[in-house]
Amino acid sequence: MDVIKAGNLFLPKTNQIPDILRNARRLGLNAINVPVLIEFIDENDSSPKVNADSKKTAIELIREMSNVGLKTILEPYPLVNGGAGSETGIQPSDTIQFFTNWKRILAELAGDVAIPYRVYAMNTSSNLVLLEQYSDDWISVFSHLRGLYIGMITYRTNWWVTAVWDTGPGSTTEAYQKKLNNPLFGSPNLDFISISAYFELNERARPSVSDLVADLSSTKVYDRQQDVFSEIKAFYDTWGKPIFFGELGASSYEYAAFQPWNERPSEVVSEAAQANLFSAYKEKFSPYRVGDRE
């Protein structure tokens, strides 16, 4: 697997393409995660649909990216009730119908976008946490997609919490172990594992880079002492697949490391709080990256 330095887009528009490409060059990216909206009526919808305009925009963007040598990670991005709901709450009323329909959606994206425009990788999930338990269904999804598409296939799992003081049946520690040992991650048709890394590291307003590097081995928030680094590495150790941060971000406000998933955890702007978080992840994880093929 190549080393991928990617940026995520949120609901891009065609008139933003020049700015997207300019920012990709400025940040030294070699790939961009391009979403195609998958519309859910509500969180119980079993038959979501591809948004045709979003797919058209994705194709135009991917064409331009290809012209300047940027790779694409294509993502089916769930949009619940026009944005009023969340993908982490999606729990279809009919899971059999959902997975049948999800295969159709991925086949459409492969046939109309990924294959003709030589997309580098396809994401099969975006933080569908309440559906992760259906291991056999996901393994079937990967197999079905592999029969259509020869590029890289990934699955994105959401971040998690553990605490040294929360163990035993029903605990966060047990939930993490179930996640780690989910056989879907071992599917031979899954090329790499993606993680949305919004881990809560430190309750201070602007912790230093060195503090955050230490926090990645023992988080300060609520004294959980969560060893984020080792827990992420365990996915590689268990399944032998490269790990990719499918999402890694924080706002440019104080307390960004406390609530990195929050767009505005404070009213005080702090680019340092954001930059320190990125720098800490880079310092902690860069020595373990896969080879340097671009």
Side-chain angles (χ1 to χ4, degrees):
M1 178 182 170
D2 298 344
V3 171
I4 295 297
K5 184 179 179 182
N8 285 13
L9 299 179
F10 179 69
L11 308 184
K13 298 178 181 178
T14 53
N15 64 359
Q16 296 173 326
I17 291 177
D19 288 335
I20 291 169
L21 298 181
R22 188 179 306 111
N23 286 330
R25 288 193 297 269
R26 180 174 61 85
L27 295 170
L29 305 182
N30 64 3
I32 295 179
N33 186 94
V34 178
V36 174
L37 294 182
I38 312 299
E39 297 181 319
F40 286 74
I41 296 171
D42 55 33
E43 292 173 341
N44 302 123
D45 190 358
S46 302
S47 299
K49 296 177 175 58
V50 176
N51 180 292
D53 289 337
S54 177
K55 184 171 72 172
K56 181 180 177 182
T57 298
I59 290 171
E60 292 185 31
L61 176 56
I62 292 167
R63 281 175 175 162
E64 295 297 325
M65 288 168 51
S66 179
N67 289 337
V68 296
L70 285 169
K71 296 181 176 72
T72 299
I73 300 173
L74 185 64
E75 174 189 4
Y77 183 86
L79 186 71
V80 182
N81 189 18
S86 168
E87 71 269 23
T88 58
I90 291 174
Q91 192 167 29
S93 57
D94 186 333
T95 54
I96 294 175
Q97 182 179 344
F98 169 79
F99 278 105
T100 298
N101 194 63
W102 200 247
K103 287 179 181 177
R104 180 194 61 76
I105 287 171
L106 291 176
E108 177 181 338
L109 295 182
D112 293 351
V113 187
I115 296 171
Y117 299 101
R118 300 180 181 180
V119 162
Y120 175 76
M122 285 189 67
N123 197 348
T124 56
S125 170
S126 181
N127 304 329
L128 301 178
V129 294
L130 299 180
L131 290 167
E132 194 160 284
Q133 61 181 305
Y134 298 100
S135 310
D136 291 342
D137 293 289
W138 282 114
I139 291 170
S140 179
V141 166
F142 307 152
S143 177
H144 180 72
L145 182 58
R146 175 57 70 216
L148 304 170
Y149 169 69
I150 63 172
M152 305 288 277
I153 295 174
T154 188
Y155 172 93
R156 184 192 296 166
T157 191
N158 201 31
W159 65 287
W160 58 88
V161 167
T162 63
V164 294
W165 40 261
D166 186 27
T167 60
S171 66
T172 55
T173 301
E174 182 186 60
Y176 164 70
Q177 288 299 326
K178 286 182 178 179
K179 176 189 280 286
L180 173 65
N181 294 307
N182 190 325
L184 76 83
F185 296 112
S187 167
N189 294 305
L190 192 70
D191 296 297
F192 62 98
I193 298 167
S194 296
I195 296 176
S196 291
Y198 294 113
F199 297 97
E200 299 170 340
L201 303 181
N202 191 302
E203 294 166 326
R204 291 168 54 200
R206 285 177 290 174
S208 67
V209 174
S210 59
D211 284 341
L212 291 169
V213 168
D215 295 336
L216 281 165
S217 292
S218 180
T219 60
K220 297 292 192 301
V221 176
Y222 306 129
D223 196 31
R224 289 181 186 137
Q225 300 177 48
Q226 180 178 4
D227 189 346
V228 172
F229 173 80
S230 294
E231 290 176 1
I232 290 174
K233 184 175 179 293
F235 277 88
Y236 174 80
D237 294 338
T238 301
W239 301 110
K241 296 180 187 290
I243 307 301
F244 175 69
F245 289 127
E247 291 183 84
L248 174 59
S251 66
S252 53
Y253 290 87
E254 289 187 344
Y255 301 101
F258 179 29
Q259 296 181 341
W261 43 265
N262 191 340
E263 293 182 4
R264 195 162 184 153
S266 165
E267 295 302 313
V268 181
V269 173
S270 175
E271 293 184 357
Q274 181 187 57
N276 289 353
L277 184 68
F278 281 115
S279 295
Y281 269 92
K282 182 177 180 181
E283 182 174 330
K284 188 73 173 180
F285 285 93
S286 286
Y288 299 90
R289 68 183 184 178
V290 199
D292 281 323
R293 291 172 296 155
E294 293 292 334

